[in-house]
Amino acid sequence: MHHSKYTAYIRIAHYLSKMHDVDILTWKMGKIDEEVDRGLNVHRIYTPPTDVLLERRLMISLAGYLRAKNYDAVHALHSIPGFFPGFRYPTVVTVHITRDIDPSNIWLHYKTLLQKIIFKKASSIICVSTNLVEILKEKYNVSDAVYIPLGIDIHHFHPKINVKGLKEHLLEGKYDNLVLSIGIHGTKIDTLLELAKRNPRTKFMVIGIPGIQQLPQNMKLLFGVSEEDLRRYYAAADLFFRPLRFATANCTILEAMAMGKPIITDGIPGVLDYLNDDSAYLARRGNYIEQFERAINDENERKNKAQIARRRAEKEFAWEIVANKVTEVYENVVK
């Protein structure tokens, strides 16, 4: 798990459906989550089990093209499914990443070859961070891309979850603080390990990062965490820590914000669209240790930043707000 289903971009459909007639086209994969999909008209098609060459997304794209004539517009929630519909029908595409964000990722170089075609054919392009807008403008001659942030379900993620006794259980009577870190996408794993080793009295709960060698005694890896347990771990944590090499939107940062958790992460493009120094401990030039010690030693400042982060989630990043902004894009496309 690298984030909750309630933070996955498809969650926006639940809120858009309150304003529009919305159908979802997606693939058959795993168990259908009835709670997340409740009340939505979902069409699922069979696709290959792999997506190495984007074959799964291209099949979704072709299926969308064949159905598009029945709708006013197509919204490709990620870029590649907008490939075929964009040639003929009004198509809105949301871009989450390009090779320019993570040049070391060979798969992204291949993906961006297709994205370049999509950028020319799409009726409108939404970017989940301002650094993506700048990249599309400077490198792909896209002049009309707009920034609309990723959203968070503030009703599912909130600070008032009862986890009585959980923190004490996780600390095992031998640690002073509980730090949570979630997700591998862009994460500086070496930095995470270094901070854990330097703070043996702090318990680090790490979710969704495989392959860590020589695990410190004060670190526990978890996989396959349920939605409810994920919220409980957030609620129990003293801090959320996510050292990042790059960022556009970051689902787990939004989850931590909505949970009212103090956050330590990097003050880099992508992150700065969602957090500032008032709402988080932003490391610059790699000063994680300094930010960590500051957070641990000042409970009042920690609580204040966490409260500001929650308020920002409510006022700027709630799915209801994001859905209204996306609706404005639809109206411009179909008018």
Side-chain angles (χ1 to χ4, degrees), residues 11 23 44 55 86 90 99 162 172 179 189 193 248 260 279-280 300 324:
R11 182 61 175 164
D23 284 5
R44 299 179 184 273
E55 60 272 18
R99 67 186 178 191
N162 184 3
E172 306 173 73
V179 172
I189 297 174
L193 289 170
T248 54
S279 55
N300 287 332
N324 281 329

Side-chain angles (χ1 to χ4, degrees), residues 186-295:
T187 298
K188 297 178 182 176
I189 297 174
D190 290 343
T191 299
L192 182 59
L193 289 170
E194 178 187 359
L195 193 68
K197 290 172 182 176
R198 290 181 65 99
N199 294 274
R201 294 289 302 170
T202 296
K203 178 74 171 288
F204 285 75
M205 301 286 294
V206 179
I207 299 175
I209 303 182
I212 296 180
Q213 304 297 322
Q214 298 180 333
L215 198 69
Q217 281 191 329
N218 60 327
M219 182 177 284
K220 184 174 182 179
L221 297 183
L222 294 172
F223 302 95
V225 175
S226 69
E227 290 285 348
E228 188 54 37
D229 282 344
L230 180 68
R231 289 199 308 172
R232 286 166 53 79
Y233 288 135
Y234 271 118
D238 294 301
L239 281 169
F240 180 79
F241 179 49
R242 188 80 191 274
L244 291 167
R245 294 185 290 111
F246 59 83
T248 54
N250 190 283
C251 297
T252 57
I253 283 176
L254 279 165
E255 291 169 3
M257 290 176 71
M259 291 296 298
K261 294 287 112 176
I263 299 165
I264 302 176
T265 188
D266 291 73
I268 58 175
V271 170
L272 294 174
D273 294 317
Y274 296 82
L275 291 169
N276 56 23
D277 289 309
D278 291 334
S279 55
Y281 296 91
L282 297 180
R284 295 178 173 87
R285 298 176 297 279
N287 64 334
Y288 303 105
I289 295 169
E290 175 188 334
Q291 296 288 10
F292 182 81
E293 290 178 351
R294 177 181 163 190

Side-chain angles (χ1 to χ4, degrees), residues 43-157:
H43 307 275
R44 299 179 184 273
I45 66 169
Y46 287 101
T47 58
T50 62
D51 201 34
V52 176
L53 297 176
L54 301 171
E55 60 272 18
R56 173 178 282 173
R57 298 179 207 207
L58 287 170
M59 284 190 68
I60 286 288
S61 182
L62 180 58
Y65 174 83
L66 296 174
R67 292 166 168 79
K69 64 182 179 181
N70 300 316
Y71 300 90
D72 294 325
V74 174
H75 184 177
L77 298 181
H78 294 262
S79 57
I80 301 302
F83 185 84
F84 290 115
F87 279 92
R88 186 173 179 182
Y89 300 103
T91 301
V92 178
V93 171
T94 296
V95 179
H96 298 255
I97 194 167
T98 69
R99 67 186 178 191
D100 312 274
I101 297 292
D102 184 14
S104 64
N105 189 323
I106 300 301
W107 183 78
L108 281 178
H109 282 260
Y110 166 66
K111 178 180 179 179
T112 301
L113 293 176
L114 296 178
Q115 286 179 312
K116 289 168 71 174
I117 299 172
I118 293 166
F119 297 157
K120 294 178 180 179
K121 298 296 182 181
S123 305
S124 187
I125 297 176
I126 296 170
C127 295
V128 294
S129 58
T130 55
N131 56 342
L132 278 171
V133 173
E134 292 167 3
I135 286 168
L136 264 61
K137 180 179 180 180
E138 294 172 5
K139 295 196 174 184
Y140 302 102
N141 296 316
V142 177
S143 60
D144 57 350
V146 296
Y147 160 62
I148 298 179
L150 184 71
I152 182 67
D153 193 319
I154 60 169
H155 311 289
H156 180 77
F157 288 102

